[in-house]
Amino acid sequence: MTNFIIEHQCPQCGAPAELEESDRLFHCAFCRVGSYLTVPDFFRYTMPHKAPAGKRLIYYPYWRFKGMLFSCLKTSIENRFLDVSHQALNSVHFPINIGFRGQTQKLRFAAAEQQGTFLKPEVALEDVLNLWREQYSAKLPKPILHQDFIGETWSLIYAPFYLDGKVVDAVLDQPVSDAAIEHLEEGLLQPDTRQWPLTFLATLCPQCGWDLNGDRDSLALCCNNCHTVWWEKGGKLKPLKAAHVPINGEDWVYLPFWRIQADVSHIQLETYADLIKTANLPKVVQPGWDQRPFYFWNPAFKVRPQTYLTVAGNVTLNQPTDHLEAGRPKGRVHGVNLPLKEAVESLKLSLASFLRPIERRAEVIPRIEIQPRRFLLIYIPFQETHHELVQPKLNLAVSKSMLAHAKNL
Ligand SMILES: [Zn+2]
Ligand SMILES: [Zn+2]
């Protein structure tokens, strides 16, 4: 598993700092000022080079992707974790991927002032994803009813090269191959516009001015003073609708969940009574259950692919109805590091995992459409034991070491 290190400077005081790839919240060790990193589309990095002075550098673009690929089959849901890179511009003269070079190098954010030609990517990330999807699906039994990439981080990495009768890899200062090159593909060396804004937002509560808190990879920032929760939208901090199940005691840790209400086509799944039929739960429908709205519950935190659907299925089938209080809880909270968008994408897989009888899956899943309507971020308390976080009412345990490792996913 790769987690790149990125070197940069504190936007306030200029002190050198190192970030991990998944870091969003940055606290400067020198000036103590916090900032939240954001870009309008995706992060772009460069690798350092060892090219001799005077060489004209070419920065070649590679898509970099880390995430889970889920494949829904007739009676099982397969998953695999991908940590891959691929050319974002087709050429036979440059390496097809960045290989292991990124793991041994510290990256920097790509910036307009860097010397060299940054080549314009021509291959869409979608196309590269489809390539990987086909590659990993070759060995799976058919039919594949549905597939999705979930929980991904992706970025564009520019690797430096220069031309010297050969294509020379400037990271190692070694030729890519011994073959001399007459000429590169026509039109390959198109420079990009290099307009890559990188914004550091001050992490002060927009409502009360207090410092906002969160884990380094957190997508939601909490105010401990006015108990509001914030997230970045369009380059600004905006309120995030959040609630929690209140509890007293020191040994509780809150895990965040996306509770999503959605329109599901082809099957009736609007109420708790509908869920009992859809999942064939061993329960007799009680009066009023046909009035209780049905919600999908998905983890808002990263876990291993095997665990992700298990946790989502557990909470969704339990449909918690605890009394909720608005805002963040007072106790310890685990950061939100799985975006809402990813949770929404996984709803179909979640439904496939509890749809019964399982024979219905082949007929229903390929046709079904799930349209999210509204959501709420809900913090559920888990009791901390030596190795696990346990939610007694849900009969659900999450391993603490797995949660810690999942941060690199
Ligand atoms: Zn600083
Ligand atoms: Zn506040």
Side-chain angles (χ1 to χ4, degrees):
M1 206 93 64
T2 344
N3 205 4
F4 293 134
I5 300 294
I6 299 127
E7 283 183 317
H8 83 127
Q9 279 107 34
C10 168
Q12 291 296 324
C13 74
E18 283 189 358
L19 292 174
E20 284 183 21
E21 203 181 359
S22 48
D23 286 359
R24 290 296 168 269
L25 185 59
F26 162 72
H27 267 103
C28 176
F30 292 89
C31 70
R32 304 264 154 210
V33 172
S35 32
Y36 185 84
L37 256 130
T38 160
V39 283
D41 43 12
F42 48 85
F43 288 97
R44 293 172 175 86
Y45 306 112
T46 55
M47 289 173 149
H49 69 86
K50 290 198 287 193
K55 296 290 178 196
R56 273 187 64 102
L57 287 174
I58 295 170
Y59 282 93
Y60 203 87
Y62 290 90
W63 287 118
R64 135 107 179 125
F65 176 93
K66 219 158 59 148
M68 312 176 257
L69 172 62
F70 286 98
S71 305
C72 178
L73 309 177
K74 273 166 90 174
T75 54
S76 66
I77 296 176
E78 302 295 322
N79 63 70
R80 81 170 286 161
F81 187 77
L82 274 76
D83 181 352
V84 280
S85 65
H86 194 276
Q87 284 185 347
L89 180 62
N90 292 323
S91 168
V92 294
H93 301 294
F94 289 83
I96 194 88
N97 56 46
I98 55 173
F100 294 105
R101 283 171 301 160
Q103 281 163 307
T104 54
Q105 306 293 330
K106 284 179 181 163
L107 309 184
R108 302 191 71 88
F109 291 110
E113 58 275 12
Q114 272 165 298
Q115 298 293 317
T117 306
F118 283 71
L119 301 189
K120 199 175 168 178
E122 293 286 346
V123 181
L125 177 67
E126 260 321 282
D127 296 335
V128 174
L129 288 179
N130 280 332
L131 203 84
W132 285 322
R133 189 199 301 256
E134 279 166 27
Q135 206 172 317
Y136 288 109
S137 304
K139 286 192 188 128
L140 292 176
K142 308 294 181 299
I144 298 170
L145 306 174
H146 176 68
Q147 278 182 311
D148 232 321
F149 289 101
I150 308 288
E152 65 253 31
T153 32
W154 48 282
S155 54
L156 199 64
I157 297 183
Y158 290 98
F161 295 88
Y162 63 89
L163 301 177
D164 196 8
K166 298 165 181 174
V167 173
V168 183
D169 175 346
V171 172
L172 309 167
D173 202 25
Q174 278 171 9
V176 171
S177 98
D178 288 334
I181 288 170
E182 305 270 306
H183 40 77
L184 295 168
E185 289 93 340
E186 203 177 324
L188 187 75
L189 303 180
Q190 297 288 332
D192 206 343
T193 54
R194 298 172 66 169
Q195 305 208 324
W196 305 321
L198 177 68
T199 310
F200 288 85
L201 296 174
T203 53
L204 299 176
C205 175
Q207 181 164 289
C208 75
W210 205 264
D211 257 329
L212 294 173
N213 289 74
D215 295 339
R216 7 186 340 170
D217 61 346
S218 199
L219 303 168
L221 305 176
C222 295
C223 178
N224 288 352
N225 186 48
C226 69
H227 304 294
T228 48
V229 184
W230 303 83
W231 60 350
E232 181 267 325
K233 286 272 147 208
K236 295 202 170 70
L237 288 177
K238 295 275 164 79
L240 168 58
K241 248 176 73 187
H244 64 277
V245 178
I247 200 147
N248 287 319
E250 291 279 288
D251 55 343
W252 294 86
V253 178
Y254 283 88
L255 292 182
F257 286 82
W258 297 113
R259 192 187 76 175
I260 302 166
Q261 198 172 13
D263 293 324
V264 182
S265 74
H266 289 92
I267 58 168
Q268 178 74 23
L269 187 53
E270 279 176 39
T271 67
Y272 186 44
D274 295 336
L275 174 68
I276 287 167
K277 278 178 233 151
T278 304
N280 197 15
L281 298 181
K283 283 186 174 157
V284 178
V285 175
Q286 303 296 312
W289 287 5
D290 57 350
Q291 301 298 320
R292 248 177 74 185
F294 164 78
Y295 300 105
F296 287 97
W297 290 75
N298 279 55
F301 50 95
K302 287 185 188 169
V303 282
R304 274 198 315 241
Q306 304 88 296
T307 312
Y308 182 79
L309 287 180
T310 314
V311 174
N314 175 304
V315 187
T316 300
L317 292 181
N318 273 290
Q319 291 288 298
T321 52
D322 304 82
H323 162 71
L324 295 177
E325 282 179 14
R328 68 148 286 169
K330 289 202 179 73
R332 287 176 291 155
V333 296
H334 184 87
V336 172
N337 56 14
L338 193 114
L340 174 65
K341 186 181 147 286
E342 299 300 311
V344 166
E345 280 175 20
S346 71
L347 295 183
K348 202 164 172 176
L349 290 160
S350 181
L351 171 59
S353 72
F354 61 73
L355 181 72
R356 294 292 178 277
I358 208 158
E359 291 74 31
R360 284 184 74 198
R361 205 191 256 183
E363 174 228 326
V364 172
I365 292 303
R367 298 194 299 157
I368 223 161
E369 302 262 352
I370 303 181
Q371 255 334 308
R373 250 195 296 153
R374 54 172 73 98
F375 73 90
L376 185 61
L377 179 72
I378 299 182
Y379 290 94
I380 297 183
F382 281 68
Q383 197 150 31
E384 185 169 20
T385 67
H386 202 55
H387 295 293
E388 290 177 319
L389 300 180
V390 182
Q391 199 349 285
K393 269 199 202 163
L394 298 173
N395 197 15
L396 175 63
V398 181
S399 146
K400 277 159 60 176
S401 70
M402 192 270 295
L403 274 180
H405 283 124
K407 293 204 161 213
N408 290 327
L409 294 180

Short mmCIF file of all heavy atoms in Angstrom, two decimals, residues 204-212 222-230, ligand 2:
data_model
loop_
_atom_site.label_atom_id
_atom_site.label_comp_id
_atom_site.label_asym_id
_atom_site.label_seq_id
_atom_site.Cartn_x
_atom_site.Cartn_y
_atom_site.Cartn_z
N LEU A 204 -11.22 28.26 10.74
CA LEU A 204 -11.93 28.94 11.82
C LEU A 204 -13.42 28.76 11.59
O LEU A 204 -13.89 28.85 10.45
CB LEU A 204 -11.59 30.44 11.81
CG LEU A 204 -10.11 30.78 12.03
CD1 LEU A 204 -9.88 32.27 11.90
CD2 LEU A 204 -9.64 30.27 13.39
N CYS A 205 -14.14 28.49 12.67
CA CYS A 205 -15.57 28.26 12.55
C CYS A 205 -16.25 29.50 11.94
O CYS A 205 -16.16 30.59 12.51
CB CYS A 205 -16.16 27.96 13.93
SG CYS A 205 -17.95 27.80 13.89
N PRO A 206 -16.92 29.36 10.79
CA PRO A 206 -17.57 30.51 10.17
C PRO A 206 -18.68 31.10 11.06
O PRO A 206 -19.06 32.26 10.88
CB PRO A 206 -18.16 29.95 8.88
CG PRO A 206 -17.35 28.72 8.59
CD PRO A 206 -17.00 28.17 9.95
N GLN A 207 -19.17 30.31 12.01
CA GLN A 207 -20.26 30.80 12.85
C GLN A 207 -19.78 31.54 14.09
O GLN A 207 -20.30 32.59 14.44
CB GLN A 207 -21.16 29.63 13.26
CG GLN A 207 -22.35 30.04 14.12
CD GLN A 207 -23.39 28.94 14.17
OE1 GLN A 207 -24.08 28.67 13.18
NE2 GLN A 207 -23.50 28.30 15.32
N CYS A 208 -18.73 30.99 14.77
CA CYS A 208 -18.32 31.61 16.04
C CYS A 208 -16.85 31.99 16.09
O CYS A 208 -16.39 32.59 17.06
CB CYS A 208 -18.66 30.69 17.21
SG CYS A 208 -17.57 29.28 17.37
N GLY A 209 -16.07 31.64 15.05
CA GLY A 209 -14.67 32.06 15.00
C GLY A 209 -13.70 31.16 15.75
O GLY A 209 -12.50 31.39 15.74
N TRP A 210 -14.21 30.12 16.41
CA TRP A 210 -13.38 29.17 17.14
C TRP A 210 -12.59 28.30 16.16
O TRP A 210 -12.99 28.16 15.01
CB TRP A 210 -14.33 28.29 17.96
CG TRP A 210 -13.75 27.66 19.20
CD1 TRP A 210 -13.23 26.41 19.29
CD2 TRP A 210 -13.68 28.23 20.51
NE1 TRP A 210 -12.84 26.15 20.57
CE2 TRP A 210 -13.10 27.25 21.35
CE3 TRP A 210 -14.04 29.46 21.06
CZ2 TRP A 210 -12.87 27.47 22.71
CZ3 TRP A 210 -13.82 29.67 22.41
CH2 TRP A 210 -13.23 28.69 23.22
N ASP A 211 -11.47 27.70 16.64
CA ASP A 211 -10.71 26.78 15.79
C ASP A 211 -11.50 25.51 15.51
O ASP A 211 -12.04 24.92 16.43
CB ASP A 211 -9.42 26.38 16.53
CG ASP A 211 -8.22 27.11 15.99
OD1 ASP A 211 -8.22 27.42 14.78
OD2 ASP A 211 -7.29 27.38 16.77
N LEU A 212 -11.51 25.09 14.26
CA LEU A 212 -12.20 23.85 13.93
C LEU A 212 -11.27 22.66 14.13
O LEU A 212 -10.07 22.78 13.98
CB LEU A 212 -12.68 23.89 12.48
CG LEU A 212 -13.75 24.93 12.15
CD1 LEU A 212 -14.01 24.97 10.66
CD2 LEU A 212 -15.04 24.60 12.90
N CYS A 222 -15.16 19.96 12.83
CA CYS A 222 -16.11 20.18 13.92
C CYS A 222 -15.71 21.40 14.74
O CYS A 222 -14.54 21.64 14.98
CB CYS A 222 -16.12 18.99 14.87
SG CYS A 222 -16.72 17.48 14.12
N CYS A 223 -16.72 22.15 15.19
CA CYS A 223 -16.48 23.24 16.12
C CYS A 223 -16.84 22.76 17.53
O CYS A 223 -17.97 22.36 17.78
CB CYS A 223 -17.33 24.46 15.77
SG CYS A 223 -17.08 25.80 16.95
N ASN A 224 -15.84 22.78 18.42
CA ASN A 224 -16.08 22.33 19.79
C ASN A 224 -16.78 23.38 20.63
O ASN A 224 -17.18 23.13 21.76
CB ASN A 224 -14.76 21.96 20.46
CG ASN A 224 -14.21 20.66 19.91
OD1 ASN A 224 -14.89 19.98 19.14
ND2 ASN A 224 -12.98 20.33 20.26
N ASN A 225 -16.91 24.57 20.09
CA ASN A 225 -17.55 25.65 20.83
C ASN A 225 -19.05 25.71 20.54
O ASN A 225 -19.86 25.68 21.45
CB ASN A 225 -16.87 26.97 20.48
CG ASN A 225 -17.38 28.12 21.32
OD1 ASN A 225 -17.47 27.99 22.53
ND2 ASN A 225 -17.74 29.20 20.67
N CYS A 226 -19.41 25.78 19.26
CA CYS A 226 -20.85 25.88 18.95
C CYS A 226 -21.42 24.57 18.40
O CYS A 226 -22.57 24.51 18.00
CB CYS A 226 -21.12 27.06 18.02
SG CYS A 226 -20.49 26.86 16.34
N HIS A 227 -20.58 23.50 18.41
CA HIS A 227 -21.01 22.14 18.05
C HIS A 227 -21.54 21.98 16.64
O HIS A 227 -22.33 21.08 16.35
CB HIS A 227 -22.03 21.60 19.07
CG HIS A 227 -21.51 21.63 20.46
ND1 HIS A 227 -20.45 20.85 20.86
CD2 HIS A 227 -21.84 22.40 21.52
CE1 HIS A 227 -20.16 21.12 22.11
NE2 HIS A 227 -20.98 22.07 22.54
N THR A 228 -21.10 22.88 15.74
CA THR A 228 -21.51 22.75 14.34
C THR A 228 -20.47 21.90 13.60
O THR A 228 -19.36 21.68 14.09
CB THR A 228 -21.59 24.14 13.68
OG1 THR A 228 -20.39 24.85 14.00
CG2 THR A 228 -22.80 24.91 14.17
N VAL A 229 -20.85 21.42 12.41
CA VAL A 229 -19.95 20.64 11.57
C VAL A 229 -19.89 21.31 10.19
O VAL A 229 -20.92 21.80 9.70
CB VAL A 229 -20.43 19.17 11.44
CG1 VAL A 229 -19.45 18.34 10.64
CG2 VAL A 229 -20.64 18.55 12.83
N TRP A 230 -18.70 21.34 9.60
CA TRP A 230 -18.49 22.07 8.34
C TRP A 230 -17.79 21.20 7.32
O TRP A 230 -17.03 20.32 7.69
CB TRP A 230 -17.65 23.34 8.62
CG TRP A 230 -18.30 24.22 9.63
CD1 TRP A 230 -18.23 24.09 10.99
CD2 TRP A 230 -19.18 25.32 9.39
NE1 TRP A 230 -19.00 25.04 11.61
CE2 TRP A 230 -19.58 25.82 10.64
CE3 TRP A 230 -19.65 25.94 8.23
CZ2 TRP A 230 -20.45 26.90 10.78
CZ3 TRP A 230 -20.50 27.03 8.35
CH2 TRP A 230 -20.90 27.50 9.61
ZN ZN B 2 -18.36 27.49 16.16
#
